[in-house]
């Protein structure tokens, strides 16, 4: 009954099964490993930001350009506050609000974007506290420029005057008549009663969509293992049923044999009956009575 397993067709099916299962398990494990690596990187980045608060502040220029190693580090800069902008669409503790962003003109000729704090509600210049006058020294967590359309940063345009969607040099250079650092700082303590904006982990280290795509691919590879085994078992059961039917004289082959035997018997009977009846020659008309 199981001799069909030795046919070339079933040799190919079995080889495919034996090769596909370990391959799918390997790919699923690899995707799971990538997801776990992203989780570990996210935890390390959050720990880095938390530990950076304990570090001694360093001059801003010593930490530039912003990298994964310097993101979240305590930076200090001295200058005078100048243009103030509002950054709408920012949440803090699941509450909608906006950042108060003020550009600090430094002695280098460039301005440093400083997030002085967060306020709830819709952006309102009248509610945003004015920056301190005179020369000030600010200390806060260093952050990389934001990219519109990623990490929850709004990519919308056409905002009212005095607002910007993203904190980046590319966006701010069109709003102020001087150069801007390709970085920004969020103060450790909110200025003028505003809530401080916590530093975020470096870009590419969070549990973003790509991380959960790896987890989804993991599930797909392991599901494919189950699908391959199911299809092999289904084909095997079908072959067993066909072999059993053939042994019992059932199935398409037996029906074809029975039909042929019945046809042969009918032909033989017709031939026997025709021996007693004279056959008329082809092309000869019967005489008219």
């Amino acid at each position: 009954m199981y001799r069909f397993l030795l046919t070339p067709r079933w040799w190919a099916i079995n080889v495919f099964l034996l090769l596909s299962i370990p391959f799918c398990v390997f790919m699923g494990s690899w995707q799971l490993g990538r997801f776990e690596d992203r989780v570990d990187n996210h935890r390390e980045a959050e720990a880095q930001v938390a530990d950076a608060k304990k570090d001694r502040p360093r001059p801003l220029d010593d930490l530039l350009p912003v990298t994964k190693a310097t993101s979240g580090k305590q930076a200090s800069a001295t200058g005078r506050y100048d243009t103030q902008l509002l950054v709408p669409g920012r949440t803090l503790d699941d509450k909608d609000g906006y950042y108060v962003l003020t550009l600090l003109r430094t002695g280098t000729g460039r301005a440093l974007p400083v997030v002085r704090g967060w306020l709830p509600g819709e952006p309102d210049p009248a509610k945003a506290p004015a920056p301190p006058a005179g020369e000030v020294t600010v200390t806060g967590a260093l952050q990389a420029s934001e990219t519109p359309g990623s990490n929850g940063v709004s990519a919308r345009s056409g905002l009212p005057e005095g607002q910007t969607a993203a904190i980046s040099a590319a966006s701010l250079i069109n709003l102020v008549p001087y150069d801007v650092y390709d970085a920004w700082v969020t103060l450790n303590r909110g200025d003028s009663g505003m809530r401080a904006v916590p530093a975020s982990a470096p870009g590419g280290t969070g549990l973003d969509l790509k991380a959960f795509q790896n987890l989804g691919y993991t599930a797909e590879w392991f599901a494919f293992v189950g699908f391959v085994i199911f299809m092999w078992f289904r084909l095997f059961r079908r072959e067993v049923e066909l072999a059993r039917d053939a042994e019992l004289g059932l199935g398409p082959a037996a029906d074809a044999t029975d039909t042929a035997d019945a046809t042969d018997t009918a032909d033989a009977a017709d031939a026997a009956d025709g021996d007693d009846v004279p056959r008329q020659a082809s092309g000869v008309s019967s005489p008219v009575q």
Side-chain angles (χ1 to χ4, degrees), residues 49 53 71-74 141-143 184 186-188 196-201:
V49 172
K53 293 182 179 180
S71 179
K73 295 292 186 180
Q74 293 293 300
L142 183 65
Q143 302 281 266
W184 57 283
T186 175
L187 298 183
N188 296 327
V197 176
S200 59

PDB file of all heavy atoms in Angstrom, residues 49 53 71-74 141-143 184 186-188 196-201:
ATOM      1  N   VAL A  49      20.083  57.334  27.733  1.00  0.00           N
ATOM      2  CA  VAL A  49      19.481  58.655  27.974  1.00  0.00           C
ATOM      3  C   VAL A  49      19.343  58.919  29.472  1.00  0.00           C
ATOM      4  O   VAL A  49      19.606  60.021  29.959  1.00  0.00           O
ATOM      5  CB  VAL A  49      18.114  58.746  27.275  1.00  0.00           C
ATOM      6  CG1 VAL A  49      17.386  60.022  27.684  1.00  0.00           C
ATOM      7  CG2 VAL A  49      18.285  58.691  25.759  1.00  0.00           C
ATOM      8  N   LYS A  53      21.847  61.912  32.047  1.00  0.00           N
ATOM      9  CA  LYS A  53      21.443  63.010  32.933  1.00  0.00           C
ATOM     10  C   LYS A  53      22.413  63.186  34.096  1.00  0.00           C
ATOM     11  O   LYS A  53      22.508  64.270  34.668  1.00  0.00           O
ATOM     12  CB  LYS A  53      20.040  62.762  33.467  1.00  0.00           C
ATOM     13  CG  LYS A  53      18.948  62.820  32.403  1.00  0.00           C
ATOM     14  CD  LYS A  53      17.583  62.601  33.016  1.00  0.00           C
ATOM     15  CE  LYS A  53      16.481  62.686  31.968  1.00  0.00           C
ATOM     16  NZ  LYS A  53      15.140  62.468  32.558  1.00  0.00           N
ATOM     17  N   SER A  71      23.945  61.336  21.369  1.00  0.00           N
ATOM     18  CA  SER A  71      22.546  61.715  21.533  1.00  0.00           C
ATOM     19  C   SER A  71      22.107  61.496  22.977  1.00  0.00           C
ATOM     20  O   SER A  71      22.341  60.451  23.567  1.00  0.00           O
ATOM     21  CB  SER A  71      21.664  60.885  20.600  1.00  0.00           C
ATOM     22  OG  SER A  71      20.307  61.228  20.764  1.00  0.00           O
ATOM     23  N   GLY A  72      21.504  62.507  23.564  1.00  0.00           N
ATOM     24  CA  GLY A  72      21.061  62.444  24.954  1.00  0.00           C
ATOM     25  C   GLY A  72      22.094  62.943  25.941  1.00  0.00           C
ATOM     26  O   GLY A  72      21.778  63.110  27.132  1.00  0.00           O
ATOM     27  N   LYS A  73      23.321  63.196  25.491  1.00  0.00           N
ATOM     28  CA  LYS A  73      24.356  63.695  26.384  1.00  0.00           C
ATOM     29  C   LYS A  73      24.044  65.126  26.820  1.00  0.00           C
ATOM     30  O   LYS A  73      23.384  65.885  26.113  1.00  0.00           O
ATOM     31  CB  LYS A  73      25.721  63.665  25.684  1.00  0.00           C
ATOM     32  CG  LYS A  73      26.224  62.265  25.349  1.00  0.00           C
ATOM     33  CD  LYS A  73      26.573  61.482  26.594  1.00  0.00           C
ATOM     34  CE  LYS A  73      27.200  60.142  26.254  1.00  0.00           C
ATOM     35  NZ  LYS A  73      27.556  59.361  27.469  1.00  0.00           N
ATOM     36  N   GLN A  74      24.523  65.480  27.995  1.00  0.00           N
ATOM     37  CA  GLN A  74      24.308  66.816  28.524  1.00  0.00           C
ATOM     38  C   GLN A  74      25.241  67.806  27.832  1.00  0.00           C
ATOM     39  O   GLN A  74      26.455  67.649  27.831  1.00  0.00           O
ATOM     40  CB  GLN A  74      24.552  66.835  30.026  1.00  0.00           C
ATOM     41  CG  GLN A  74      23.530  66.044  30.819  1.00  0.00           C
ATOM     42  CD  GLN A  74      22.157  66.690  30.757  1.00  0.00           C
ATOM     43  OE1 GLN A  74      21.969  67.828  31.170  1.00  0.00           O
ATOM     44  NE2 GLN A  74      21.177  65.953  30.246  1.00  0.00           N
ATOM     45  N   ALA A 141      19.681  68.113  27.287  1.00  0.00           N
ATOM     46  CA  ALA A 141      20.023  66.900  26.542  1.00  0.00           C
ATOM     47  C   ALA A 141      20.123  67.221  25.056  1.00  0.00           C
ATOM     48  O   ALA A 141      19.218  67.821  24.475  1.00  0.00           O
ATOM     49  CB  ALA A 141      18.976  65.822  26.784  1.00  0.00           C
ATOM     50  N   LEU A 142      21.214  66.782  24.459  1.00  0.00           N
ATOM     51  CA  LEU A 142      21.448  67.008  23.036  1.00  0.00           C
ATOM     52  C   LEU A 142      20.593  66.040  22.210  1.00  0.00           C
ATOM     53  O   LEU A 142      20.505  64.847  22.526  1.00  0.00           O
ATOM     54  CB  LEU A 142      22.927  66.811  22.715  1.00  0.00           C
ATOM     55  CG  LEU A 142      23.364  67.071  21.271  1.00  0.00           C
ATOM     56  CD1 LEU A 142      23.166  68.547  20.919  1.00  0.00           C
ATOM     57  CD2 LEU A 142      24.819  66.655  21.073  1.00  0.00           C
ATOM     58  N   GLN A 143      19.955  66.562  21.170  1.00  0.00           N
ATOM     59  CA  GLN A 143      19.098  65.753  20.306  1.00  0.00           C
ATOM     60  C   GLN A 143      19.442  66.008  18.839  1.00  0.00           C
ATOM     61  O   GLN A 143      19.851  67.121  18.463  1.00  0.00           O
ATOM     62  CB  GLN A 143      17.629  66.091  20.535  1.00  0.00           C
ATOM     63  CG  GLN A 143      17.161  65.892  21.973  1.00  0.00           C
ATOM     64  CD  GLN A 143      16.883  64.434  22.290  1.00  0.00           C
ATOM     65  OE1 GLN A 143      15.762  63.957  22.183  1.00  0.00           O
ATOM     66  NE2 GLN A 143      17.918  63.717  22.688  1.00  0.00           N
ATOM     67  N   TRP A 184      19.582  70.098  18.385  1.00  0.00           N
ATOM     68  CA  TRP A 184      18.814  70.943  19.309  1.00  0.00           C
ATOM     69  C   TRP A 184      18.965  70.399  20.720  1.00  0.00           C
ATOM     70  O   TRP A 184      19.463  69.285  20.930  1.00  0.00           O
ATOM     71  CB  TRP A 184      17.346  71.046  18.901  1.00  0.00           C
ATOM     72  CG  TRP A 184      16.596  69.746  18.772  1.00  0.00           C
ATOM     73  CD1 TRP A 184      16.671  68.860  17.745  1.00  0.00           C
ATOM     74  CD2 TRP A 184      15.641  69.208  19.699  1.00  0.00           C
ATOM     75  NE1 TRP A 184      15.832  67.791  17.971  1.00  0.00           N
ATOM     76  CE2 TRP A 184      15.185  67.979  19.150  1.00  0.00           C
ATOM     77  CE3 TRP A 184      15.120  69.640  20.924  1.00  0.00           C
ATOM     78  CZ2 TRP A 184      14.237  67.180  19.796  1.00  0.00           C
ATOM     79  CZ3 TRP A 184      14.177  68.850  21.561  1.00  0.00           C
ATOM     80  CH2 TRP A 184      13.741  67.636  20.998  1.00  0.00           C
ATOM     81  N   THR A 186      17.006  70.079  24.627  1.00  0.00           N
ATOM     82  CA  THR A 186      15.823  70.213  25.474  1.00  0.00           C
ATOM     83  C   THR A 186      16.283  70.426  26.909  1.00  0.00           C
ATOM     84  O   THR A 186      17.107  69.654  27.434  1.00  0.00           O
ATOM     85  CB  THR A 186      14.905  68.979  25.371  1.00  0.00           C
ATOM     86  OG1 THR A 186      13.831  69.105  26.311  1.00  0.00           O
ATOM     87  CG2 THR A 186      15.653  67.688  25.634  1.00  0.00           C
ATOM     88  N   LEU A 187      15.804  71.493  27.518  1.00  0.00           N
ATOM     89  CA  LEU A 187      16.254  71.846  28.860  1.00  0.00           C
ATOM     90  C   LEU A 187      15.860  70.786  29.880  1.00  0.00           C
ATOM     91  O   LEU A 187      14.801  70.151  29.771  1.00  0.00           O
ATOM     92  CB  LEU A 187      15.659  73.191  29.275  1.00  0.00           C
ATOM     93  CG  LEU A 187      16.051  74.414  28.428  1.00  0.00           C
ATOM     94  CD1 LEU A 187      15.425  75.670  29.012  1.00  0.00           C
ATOM     95  CD2 LEU A 187      17.564  74.551  28.335  1.00  0.00           C
ATOM     96  N   ASN A 188      16.734  70.593  30.857  1.00  0.00           N
ATOM     97  CA  ASN A 188      16.450  69.612  31.907  1.00  0.00           C
ATOM     98  C   ASN A 188      15.273  70.053  32.782  1.00  0.00           C
ATOM     99  O   ASN A 188      14.539  69.210  33.328  1.00  0.00           O
ATOM    100  CB  ASN A 188      17.687  69.403  32.778  1.00  0.00           C
ATOM    101  CG  ASN A 188      18.838  68.798  31.984  1.00  0.00           C
ATOM    102  OD1 ASN A 188      18.632  68.024  31.068  1.00  0.00           O
ATOM    103  ND2 ASN A 188      20.069  69.183  32.338  1.00  0.00           N
ATOM    104  N   ALA A 196       9.177  70.331  31.364  1.00  0.00           N
ATOM    105  CA  ALA A 196      10.355  69.946  30.591  1.00  0.00           C
ATOM    106  C   ALA A 196      10.009  68.813  29.633  1.00  0.00           C
ATOM    107  O   ALA A 196       9.236  67.908  29.955  1.00  0.00           O
ATOM    108  CB  ALA A 196      11.484  69.521  31.528  1.00  0.00           C
ATOM    109  N   VAL A 197      10.588  68.868  28.449  1.00  0.00           N
ATOM    110  CA  VAL A 197      10.387  67.824  27.442  1.00  0.00           C
ATOM    111  C   VAL A 197      11.484  66.783  27.617  1.00  0.00           C
ATOM    112  O   VAL A 197      12.675  67.107  27.504  1.00  0.00           O
ATOM    113  CB  VAL A 197      10.431  68.419  26.023  1.00  0.00           C
ATOM    114  CG1 VAL A 197      10.325  67.312  24.981  1.00  0.00           C
ATOM    115  CG2 VAL A 197       9.314  69.440  25.845  1.00  0.00           C
ATOM    116  N   PRO A 198      11.141  65.526  27.926  1.00  0.00           N
ATOM    117  CA  PRO A 198      12.170  64.510  28.128  1.00  0.00           C
ATOM    118  C   PRO A 198      12.907  64.193  26.838  1.00  0.00           C
ATOM    119  O   PRO A 198      12.340  64.260  25.742  1.00  0.00           O
ATOM    120  CB  PRO A 198      11.373  63.298  28.629  1.00  0.00           C
ATOM    121  CG  PRO A 198       9.995  63.507  28.117  1.00  0.00           C
ATOM    122  CD  PRO A 198       9.778  64.989  28.111  1.00  0.00           C
ATOM    123  N   ALA A 199      14.172  63.868  26.990  1.00  0.00           N
ATOM    124  CA  ALA A 199      14.983  63.490  25.825  1.00  0.00           C
ATOM    125  C   ALA A 199      14.512  62.153  25.283  1.00  0.00           C
ATOM    126  O   ALA A 199      14.067  61.281  26.028  1.00  0.00           O
ATOM    127  CB  ALA A 199      16.453  63.419  26.219  1.00  0.00           C
ATOM    128  N   SER A 200      14.597  62.007  23.987  1.00  0.00           N
ATOM    129  CA  SER A 200      14.197  60.766  23.337  1.00  0.00           C
ATOM    130  C   SER A 200      15.434  59.965  22.953  1.00  0.00           C
ATOM    131  O   SER A 200      16.546  60.495  22.858  1.00  0.00           O
ATOM    132  CB  SER A 200      13.357  61.059  22.100  1.00  0.00           C
ATOM    133  OG  SER A 200      14.085  61.853  21.170  1.00  0.00           O
ATOM    134  N   ALA A 201      15.230  58.664  22.727  1.00  0.00           N
ATOM    135  CA  ALA A 201      16.326  57.783  22.344  1.00  0.00           C
ATOM    136  C   ALA A 201      16.802  58.126  20.943  1.00  0.00           C
ATOM    137  O   ALA A 201      16.051  58.692  20.135  1.00  0.00           O
ATOM    138  CB  ALA A 201      15.882  56.329  22.424  1.00  0.00           C
TER     139      ALA A 201
END
